Amino acid sequence: MNAFEVCLYELASLLERVGGFRSLAFLAILAGLTVILPLRFGAGLLNPLLLLVFTAIAPLLAGNFTARAFAAEKARAHILNDGDPARAIATGKVLAAAVWGLLTWAVLFSVPLIALDTTSHRLILPSARLLIALALFAFASAWLASALGSIFAADAANPAQAQTFVRGVILLPLVLLAITYSLVPVDLRLALARLLDSSRLPLALLAGSLGLILLGIPALRQTASKIDELRHPLSI
C-alpha cells in the first residue's frame, strides 16, 4: 500500500486506534462540557490568543492515535509482516493521526461557538480566513506531534508505553512554552498580543503551519528507518 492507502486503512480502523466506544463517549462528554466556555468568556472566546491555544487539542488527541497506530499488537504485526514500504507506513499512519486530530479539534471547537451564538442570539464567528488558518495550524501541529511521537512509538513495547512516550513529546514543549510565556515581560506580551490580532494572525498561522509540516518530514524518515530495523534486525 502507498501512504494514502495506509492513511485510509488507519482511518477505517478508527475504533481500534482511539480505544473503542468508551473513548469516543469520553470525547462526546468533553465536547458537551465545552458549552461552559461561552459562559466563562462570552464574546472573549473569540480572542485570537484563546483560539490559538484551543488548537492544542489537535496534537494531544492525534498523539493517542499515533501510539496505537504503531504499537497495538495488530498494527505492529501489519508493520512487520505486510511488506509495505516503511516510508509509506510512517507517512500514512502519521497523516491519519493528523486528520483525526483535525477532526476532533473541529468538533470540540464548533460546540462552544454554537453555544456562543445560541446564548447571544446572534451569529458570532471568526472570519473565514482565520478559521481556515486555524484549521491548517491544528492539522500541522497534529502532523508534527504525530511525526515526532512516531519515532518513539515505532519500537515501543506496547501501546501504554507508546502513549507515555508520545504524550511526553507533546506535553513537554507545551509546558515549556507556558513557562516561558509566564516569564516574558508585560511589554513583550502586549507586543505579542498586537502581533496576534485578527488581521495578522491568519498569515502568521499559515507561515507557522508550513514550518511545522516541513519539520515533520525528517521525523518521518527516522521512523521509517526504525521500521526497517524492526523488520531486519542486525544479527551479532
Side-chain angles (χ1 to χ4, degrees), residues 204-223:
L205 289 177
L206 290 174
S209 299
L210 178 60
L212 294 177
I213 290 172
L214 292 176
L215 284 173
I217 294 175
L220 288 178
R221 293 184 184 138
Q222 182 67 27
T223 302

Side-chain angles (χ1 to χ4, degrees), residues 18-19 23 67 75 107 113 123 131 139 144 158 183 198 222 226 228:
V18 302
S23 294
V107 171
L113 287 183
L123 186 62
L131 283 174
F139 172 83
L144 178 60
N158 52 62
L183 298 175
S198 57
Q222 182 67 27
K226 283 201 170 186
D228 283 330

Side-chain angles (χ1 to χ4, degrees), residues 164-185:
T164 300
F165 290 149
V166 174
R167 286 170 184 167
V169 167
I170 297 169
L171 289 176
L172 182 59
L174 292 176
V175 171
L176 291 176
L177 182 62
I179 293 173
T180 302
Y181 182 77
S182 68
L183 298 175
V184 171

Side-chain angles (χ1 to χ4, degrees), residues 7-234:
C7 176
L8 292 179
Y9 174 82
E10 292 297 319
L11 292 175
S13 307
L14 180 64
L15 277 179
E16 180 183 347
R17 298 295 181 258
V18 302
F21 285 107
R22 185 170 61 180
S23 294
L24 291 180
F26 173 77
L27 286 176
I29 293 171
L30 183 61
L33 291 175
T34 59
V35 299
I36 67 174
L37 293 176
L39 300 178
R40 170 65 178 83
F41 297 104
L45 182 64
L46 302 183
N47 181 293
L49 187 56
L50 272 179
L51 295 178
L52 184 58
V53 170
F54 212 84
T55 59
I57 289 172
L60 288 172
L61 294 177
N64 289 335
F65 190 109
T66 302
R68 292 189 176 93
F70 283 91
E73 183 178 355
K74 185 177 177 181
R76 181 62 56 84
H78 280 300
I79 290 173
L80 296 178
N81 301 320
D82 281 2
D84 297 321
R87 186 70 178 273
I89 291 175
T91 303
K93 287 178 178 289
V94 168
L95 179 59
V99 170
W100 171 245
L102 174 63
L103 290 176
T104 51
W105 167 82
V107 171
L108 294 174
F109 181 57
S110 61
V111 171
L113 287 183
I114 294 171
L116 177 62
D117 292 341
T118 302
T119 55
S120 61
H121 304 291
R122 60 193 178 95
L123 186 62
I124 304 176
L125 288 174
S127 67
R129 188 175 64 165
L130 180 55
L131 283 174
I132 293 171
L134 285 168
L136 182 58
F137 188 78
F139 172 83
S141 58
W143 162 270
L144 178 60
S146 299
L148 293 173
S150 69
I151 298 174
F152 301 94
D155 57 359
N158 52 62
Q161 186 184 73
Q163 283 182 324
T164 300
F165 290 149
V166 174
R167 286 170 184 167
V169 167
I170 297 169
L171 289 176
L172 182 59
L174 292 176
V175 171
L176 291 176
L177 182 62
I179 293 173
T180 302
Y181 182 77
S182 68
L183 298 175
V184 171
V186 175
D187 291 343
L188 288 180
R189 291 189 195 183
L190 293 175
L192 179 62
R194 287 192 293 271
L195 177 64
L196 293 178
D197 65 22
S198 57
S199 62
R200 296 172 181 167
L201 183 57
L203 184 59
L205 289 177
L206 290 174
S209 299
L210 178 60
L212 294 177
I213 290 172
L214 292 176
L215 284 173
I217 294 175
L220 288 178
R221 293 184 184 138
Q222 182 67 27
T223 302
S225 297
K226 283 201 170 186
I227 291 173
D228 283 330
E229 291 174 6
L230 289 172
R231 287 174 168 175
H232 309 290
L234 296 175

